[in-house]
Amino acid sequence: MAGKIDVQGKEIAIISREREDYISLTDIARYRNAAEPFAVINNWMRGRSTIELLGLWEKLSNPDFKPLEFERFKNEAGSNYFVLSPQRWIEATNAIGLVSKSGRYGGTFAHKDIAFEFASWISVEFKLYLIKEFQRLKEEEARSKALEWNLQRTLAKINYKIHTDAIKDYLIPRRLTKTQITTIYATEADLLNVALFGMTSGEWRQNHPKKTGNMRDYATIEQLVVLSNLESINSVLIYQGLSQQGRIRQLNDAAITQMKSLTGNVNLRQLKELDNGLLPKIVE
């Protein structure tokens, strides 16, 4: 049930079908005859102008509409013997502008374009009030959807922030301790490993005894980019004659700065989306 509106003391039901609004003709008819609303609808459908309206609407909106049956009804409309119910119209012409429902929320419903015309046939004044209340309902729905969209957008932002913070907490290198800075490393490769990953390759193997390969095999795209940059920076520092102790501090600073920048880099995110399993995976 899409909703209900109150029009001059009459409750009018509205349903949604294929993303279109259908208004209860049965409820509208009760404005004229509360005891026998179906008689009012059937009487309206006997008129030639009504058949022409229904047929034109179907031609514009329904590719499966049966025009031959429509022409037969149009030719008979207005005669003393002509009787037409919504159910017969729907079954004979394959119409979609009218809907006949049974059960608790049963009755005859019509697409809003048709329902407004029926309301005008009932009462021009009633039609104007019906349109006004219908528009009010749609405005309320629009505000509700806008509020829901803003809430979802806000939650998405919060979740994105939580996600990116988690990535940064995991990927951004830690500041090295004094002991790590003063330690002499056996190879330049391990110097870079400590500056970026916070541990040597031997320490990584001890922490991950079940993994094959080495720590760089499990590095992220961001880490591999920074590692390549650190290799270039380290070669310059070596050429300048800096000791390992002096170089590792600068390499660690550079790793932290670059990882902070790269964790939110759009181009790298696009590169990840293109990954077909050939790029190294994140350390578990």
Side-chain angles (χ1 to χ4, degrees), residues 4-17:
K4 290 185 177 182
I5 55 178
D6 185 277
V7 182
Q8 292 189 303
K10 298 295 181 181
E11 191 175 72
I12 310 297
I14 302 173
I15 62 173
S16 179
R17 186 185 189 196

Side-chain angles (χ1 to χ4, degrees), residues 130-143:
L130 174 64
I131 293 175
K132 181 178 180 180
E133 290 302 316
F134 178 80
Q135 290 175 336
R136 182 188 58 78
L137 175 65
K138 302 311 292 183
E139 288 171 0
E140 288 181 355
E141 288 180 354
R143 285 195 294 269

Side-chain angles (χ1 to χ4, degrees), residues 219-253:
T220 65
I221 295 175
E222 293 92 343
Q223 289 170 328
L224 291 175
V225 170
V226 172
L227 187 61
S228 176
N229 293 339
L230 293 184
E231 290 174 346
S232 298
I233 295 172
N234 191 39
S235 63
V236 173
L237 297 179
I238 291 174
Y239 180 78
Q240 292 176 350
L242 270 69
S243 65
Q244 273 198 350
Q245 183 175 340
R247 284 186 281 123
I248 195 170
R249 187 190 297 276
Q250 293 192 42
L251 292 170
N252 181 232
D253 289 342

Side-chain angles (χ1 to χ4, degrees), residues 141-200:
E141 288 180 354
R143 285 195 294 269
S144 177
K145 288 180 180 179
L147 179 62
E148 181 181 354
W149 184 84
N150 285 330
L151 177 60
Q152 291 176 344
R153 188 166 178 262
T154 300
L155 289 175
K157 284 184 176 181
I158 294 173
N159 288 335
Y160 178 77
K161 182 66 166 60
I162 293 172
H163 176 67
T164 54
D165 285 350
I167 292 175
K168 290 179 180 179
D169 287 343
Y170 174 74
L171 292 180
I172 295 175
R174 304 295 183 185
R175 292 286 179 187
L176 298 180
T177 64
K178 291 182 179 180
T179 301
Q180 287 176 308
I181 291 174
T182 57
T183 299
I184 302 299
Y185 296 98
T187 65
E188 291 298 321
D190 262 343
L191 185 74
L192 300 181
N193 289 337
V194 174
L196 178 60
F197 301 109
M199 65 183 74
T200 65

Side-chain angles (χ1 to χ4, degrees), residues 1-275:
M1 182 68 67
K4 290 185 177 182
I5 55 178
D6 185 277
V7 182
Q8 292 189 303
K10 298 295 181 181
E11 191 175 72
I12 310 297
I14 302 173
I15 62 173
S16 179
R17 186 185 189 196
E18 300 294 332
R19 298 185 179 180
E20 294 286 345
D21 292 308
Y22 282 68
I23 302 174
S24 173
L25 297 189
T26 305
D27 290 341
I28 295 174
R30 289 193 175 98
Y31 177 80
R32 183 62 62 197
N33 188 335
E36 297 182 350
F38 297 106
V40 177
I41 297 172
N42 290 346
N43 190 38
W44 173 66
M45 294 192 67
R46 293 182 70 245
R48 184 181 180 87
S49 61
T50 299
I51 299 303
E52 290 177 343
L53 165 68
L54 295 176
L56 177 58
W57 189 93
E58 295 292 342
K59 287 180 179 180
L60 295 174
S61 310
N62 181 9
D64 298 321
F65 182 59
K66 298 179 179 179
L68 294 179
E69 292 298 324
F70 158 65
E71 290 296 333
R72 184 170 67 83
F73 284 140
K74 187 172 71 170
N75 291 334
E76 296 178 358
S79 62
N80 292 334
Y81 62 84
F82 181 68
V83 177
L84 182 62
S85 67
Q87 293 85 353
R88 185 184 174 199
W89 168 257
I90 295 169
E91 292 172 1
T93 65
N94 201 32
I96 61 174
L98 296 182
V99 177
S100 181
K101 295 172 62 69
S102 59
R104 182 179 178 184
Y105 299 108
T108 299
F109 289 79
H111 187 276
K112 63 180 184 297
D113 298 340
I114 299 172
F116 291 149
E117 292 302 316
F118 176 66
S120 182
W121 182 79
I122 292 290
S123 164
V124 173
E125 179 185 6
F126 187 82
K127 172 189 176 180
L128 294 176
Y129 280 107
L130 174 64
I131 293 175
K132 181 178 180 180
E133 290 302 316
F134 178 80
Q135 290 175 336
R136 182 188 58 78
L137 175 65
K138 302 311 292 183
E139 288 171 0
E140 288 181 355
E141 288 180 354
R143 285 195 294 269
S144 177
K145 288 180 180 179
L147 179 62
E148 181 181 354
W149 184 84
N150 285 330
L151 177 60
Q152 291 176 344
R153 188 166 178 262
T154 300
L155 289 175
K157 284 184 176 181
I158 294 173
N159 288 335
Y160 178 77
K161 182 66 166 60
I162 293 172
H163 176 67
T164 54
D165 285 350
I167 292 175
K168 290 179 180 179
D169 287 343
Y170 174 74
L171 292 180
I172 295 175
R174 304 295 183 185
R175 292 286 179 187
L176 298 180
T177 64
K178 291 182 179 180
T179 301
Q180 287 176 308
I181 291 174
T182 57
T183 299
I184 302 299
Y185 296 98
T187 65
E188 291 298 321
D190 262 343
L191 185 74
L192 300 181
N193 289 337
V194 174
L196 178 60
F197 301 109
M199 65 183 74
T200 65
S201 58
E203 291 171 337
W204 182 87
R205 281 192 293 271
Q206 290 179 355
N207 295 333
H208 304 88
K210 295 183 179 181
K211 290 185 180 294
T212 58
N214 59 60
M215 63 197 310
R216 300 189 184 194
D217 294 328
Y218 296 88
T220 65
I221 295 175
E222 293 92 343
Q223 289 170 328
L224 291 175
V225 170
V226 172
L227 187 61
S228 176
N229 293 339
L230 293 184
E231 290 174 346
S232 298
I233 295 172
N234 191 39
S235 63
V236 173
L237 297 179
I238 291 174
Y239 180 78
Q240 292 176 350
L242 270 69
S243 65
Q244 273 198 350
Q245 183 175 340
R247 284 186 281 123
I248 195 170
R249 187 190 297 276
Q250 293 192 42
L251 292 170
N252 181 232
D253 289 342
I256 293 172
T257 300
Q258 292 188 21
M259 285 301 298
K260 284 182 179 179
S261 175
L262 290 179
T263 49
N265 188 279
V266 174
N267 293 326
L268 278 178
R269 287 204 301 269
Q270 293 175 343
L271 182 59
K272 286 182 178 179
E273 292 173 359
L274 296 175
D275 176 16

